[in-house]
Amino acid sequence: MAAAAEGAPAGAGSESSAPPVCVLVLGMAGSGKTTLVQRLTAHLHSQNSPPYVINLDPAVRELPFPANIDIRDTVKYKEVMKQYGLGPNGGIVTSLNLFATRFDQVMKFIEKRQNTSQYVLIDTPGQIEVFTWSASGTIITEALASTFPSVVVYVMDTSRSTSPITFMSNMLYACSILYKTKLPFILAMNKTDIIDHSFAVEWMQDFEIFQDALNQETTYVSNLTRSMSLVLDEFYSSLKVVGVSAVLGTGLDEFFVKVSEAVDEYEREYRPEYERLRKSLAKAQSKQQKEQLERLRKDMGSVAMESNPLADSSDTSALGPSDLIMTRGTLDEEDEERESDTDDIDHQVTEESHEEPAFRNFMQETRMKYQNRSSH
């Protein structure tokens, strides 16, 4: 009870400058994601700590909870299907992609509400692969995780996981989501009002008990499951597991305790990594900008208007290309002759050579010889 009280959300009256916790709710179709979000919303309202709720499922008909941001208000799912000629899954993916282009506005809305809402609950589409493995899902997840403490909640249908093979399939999918999102992970075993989740916890903690359950299966898949169970032992050891009932509302206090532990894990392990990546990206961008400026400076030349005033400078050899462009038409005649092209330089040398005495004598002798030859 003490732990539950410790992890319980604070009331709205005790406003804090701490950023809100983003809870991304993922799970297979029919696992009870939307119902769990509705129960969490009601629970937080009863604690005088209303959450900020976001719906990312464009194909849902009715929401059982009030959403602060609803993707259906921005993107019309059926219109997307008609316009692009897509099926149901393609329409959901395209709708999420279109919504992701405006997600910076969603971030601004969350920042404005960070003093009044302690939690941000995000309901995702029923087709889990649409959000988990799409570009828009990655953009949304990384945008949230880079700014706010973020936790991934994987909702598992406990009543449909009584078979060890089905249970292992759920665990493999949960493991893939963990390594895909790289965020603190909570496994919420839903529908404990139908069947208690203790059997699944035993399978995760005791390898021999799970092997005994697998011995009743004789198919090839059971052998594969037996091999995979050895691989997932390390995954089980660091996994936060909680049993909840979205219908009855049981297990929510323990759920928020796990969320609090996940936030501590985020601050301890994940935030430093995101800060390191952010600094590395900023450093790379700054270096790229400096290189571009340096290349531009080399191409255009350095403009030193104060150190080399054009009116007082008679030596144009120290000017850069941009200075010479600015001085075009303002130089005097001597400078203009000095800076003329090669034809003018050759012409200047020829005029000087005509004034040399030796050259004049040579020309006179040649002319006299030509006249004597023509007279004979």
Side-chain angles (χ1 to χ4, degrees), residues 188-206:
M189 296 185 177
N190 194 20
K191 303 183 181 181
T192 55
D193 54 305
I194 299 177
I195 183 172
D196 190 71
H197 68 290
S198 57
F199 75 94
V201 176
E202 289 181 354
W203 284 353
M204 296 171 63
Q205 294 178 349
D206 195 328

Side-chain angles (χ1 to χ4, degrees), residues 23-28 30-44 51 53 64-65 121-124 152-157 186-193 242-253 255-256 259:
V23 181
L24 281 159
V25 182
L26 307 175
M28 298 286 189
S31 60
K33 298 185 300 297
T34 302
T35 308
L36 179 60
V37 172
Q38 184 270 336
R39 179 59 65 177
L40 293 174
T41 303
H43 178 78
L44 291 173
V53 186
F65 52 83
L121 304 180
I122 303 170
D123 189 19
T124 57
V152 175
V153 177
Y154 180 77
V155 182
M156 187 183 79
D157 189 347
I186 298 176
L187 178 62
M189 296 185 177
N190 194 20
K191 303 183 181 181
T192 55
D193 54 305
V242 58
V244 296
S245 173
V247 175
L248 300 180
T250 57
L252 296 186
D253 289 336
F255 174 83
F256 281 105
V259 170

